[in-house]
Amino acid sequence: MTLEDLKLEYDRLQFQYGDPSLHSIYFGGCNHRPRILFVFMNPTGRNIASYKDWTGPHYPWIGTKNIWDLFYKVALMDKDIYDKIKSIKGKDWTVEFTEEVYRNVNKYGYFISNLGKCTQVDARPLPDSVYQEYLHFLYEEIKIVEPEVVVLFGNQVSSIVLQEKISVSTVRKKKFEREIDGKRFKFYSVFYPVGNGRFNIDKSIEDVKWILENETEGCDNGLSKKFQSID
C-alpha cells in the first residue's frame, strides 16, 4: 500500500463518517523518514481544502492560524511564513501559498496527519468507534513514512493509537514503543494544543521541544538534531 492508495481509502470513509458536502483531508510534509509525525484528531470545515471547489492539495490545517503557533514556537517554521499565516484571513490562502507553507514543513522535516480523516462541519466529538476504523490506515502511514518519533495529541488519539487508556497529564515525556509489521516505532503523548485544548499549548510546546532535543536526529534534508528554540 502507498500513500496514494491510502487517499482512496480516506475518500471512501469520508462518505461513511464525514460530512458529504466536504472533502476528506489527508496528510502532508516530509514523507520520508521525518523527525516527527504529528497525529491530530480529525479535520473540520475550517480547513478550506475541504471545500469542494478547492483545487489544491488536501493537507491538514490549511486556512487556519492557531496550530502554526505550536510549530513556530518549537522552531519548526520560518518566521516569514508564520507571519504571513497570522496576517491573512483563512479564505485568502491560495494553492500557491499552501504549497509554500508545506515546503517549509518539509524543510524542517516533519509530517502532519490526523487519526481520522473524516472532515466534519465543526469540531464535534467523534466516538472511539469511528477512529478505530482509521487506525489500521494510520499504522500503514507510519510504516510507509518511517518517522523517528510519533507525537499523538490528546487523550483520545493517544489511547486509540497505543491501545491502552492514556491520560496525557500522567505520561508527559514518557516513551511508548509499539511494533508495526515487525518494526518498532517510538510514540509520545502530548496535550492537544488547539480548540478546547488551547489553554494547554504551553505544555505542548514544552514537550515537543523536549522530544525534538532528545529523540530526533534530523531527517534527509540535513537538519541538525540541535535547534534554536523560539521563546
Side-chain angles (χ1 to χ4, degrees):
M1 185 171 281
T2 67
L3 292 178
E4 292 301 314
D5 294 330
L6 288 173
K7 291 178 182 179
L8 297 176
E9 297 293 342
Y10 295 146
D11 287 344
R12 176 180 62 82
L13 290 172
Q14 175 71 19
F15 286 106
Q16 292 182 249
Y17 302 112
D19 188 279
S21 69
L22 299 172
H23 198 287
S24 53
I25 297 298
Y26 309 132
F27 36 66
C30 179
N31 62 14
H32 181 62
R33 297 182 179 176
R35 301 169 77 185
I36 295 185
L37 192 162
F38 291 105
V39 182
F40 295 90
M41 297 175 71
N42 66 285
T44 74
R46 289 190 62 200
N47 185 328
I48 64 172
S50 67
Y51 301 168
K52 292 294 187 178
D53 60 354
W54 176 257
T55 60
H58 298 284
Y59 296 147
W61 302 109
I62 297 174
T64 69
K65 293 181 184 291
N66 291 341
I67 191 56
W68 304 103
D69 295 343
L70 171 73
F71 297 135
Y72 178 67
K73 288 290 188 178
V74 300
L76 291 179
M77 175 160 279
D78 288 340
K79 187 176 187 300
D80 62 329
I81 300 293
Y82 175 72
D83 287 344
K84 186 170 181 181
I85 288 173
K86 300 299 284 187
S87 67
I88 66 173
K89 296 179 179 179
K91 64 181 179 62
D92 293 332
W93 281 53
T94 62
V95 172
E96 292 73 23
F97 181 59
T98 295
E99 294 286 15
E100 184 180 4
V101 169
Y102 269 84
R103 281 195 298 271
N104 204 247
V105 171
N106 185 68
K107 169 185 172 181
Y108 283 91
Y110 59 106
F111 189 77
I112 306 173
S113 190
N114 290 285
L115 173 53
K117 274 65 173 185
C118 48
T119 311
Q120 307 291 331
V121 293
D122 53 26
R124 68 190 64 186
L126 294 179
D128 288 0
S129 59
V130 172
Y131 287 121
Q132 290 286 355
E133 293 295 316
Y134 286 89
L135 182 59
H136 168 72
F137 297 119
L138 180 68
Y139 288 160
E140 286 292 321
E141 276 184 48
I142 294 169
K143 186 174 68 174
I144 293 166
V145 173
E146 294 187 283
E148 291 184 48
V149 64
V150 181
V151 167
L152 307 169
F153 286 109
N155 295 338
Q156 188 178 23
V157 168
S158 299
S159 298
I160 292 169
V161 174
L162 296 174
Q163 294 288 280
E164 64 175 90
K165 186 66 174 177
I166 298 292
S167 174
V168 174
S169 61
T170 65
V171 297
R172 294 180 66 188
K173 303 184 179 78
K174 177 181 177 180
K175 179 168 62 179
F176 296 85
E177 293 196 27
R178 294 292 184 270
E179 189 171 289
I180 301 175
D181 289 348
K183 181 166 184 177
R184 296 189 71 80
F185 292 93
K186 298 179 291 186
F187 296 82
Y188 282 88
S189 181
V190 173
F191 281 105
Y192 209 83
V194 292
N196 292 334
R198 178 72 178 177
F199 63 92
N200 282 320
I201 192 170
D202 288 344
K203 296 174 184 175
S204 305
I205 291 167
E206 175 188 332
D207 290 357
V208 171
K209 283 182 178 180
W210 184 91
I211 293 164
L212 282 164
E213 290 173 337
N214 290 278
E215 290 287 5
T216 73
E217 296 290 343
C219 72
D220 290 349
N221 62 19
L223 284 174
S224 168
K225 172 181 175 180
K226 296 300 180 182
F227 63 98
Q228 182 65 44
S229 64
I230 299 170
D231 297 323

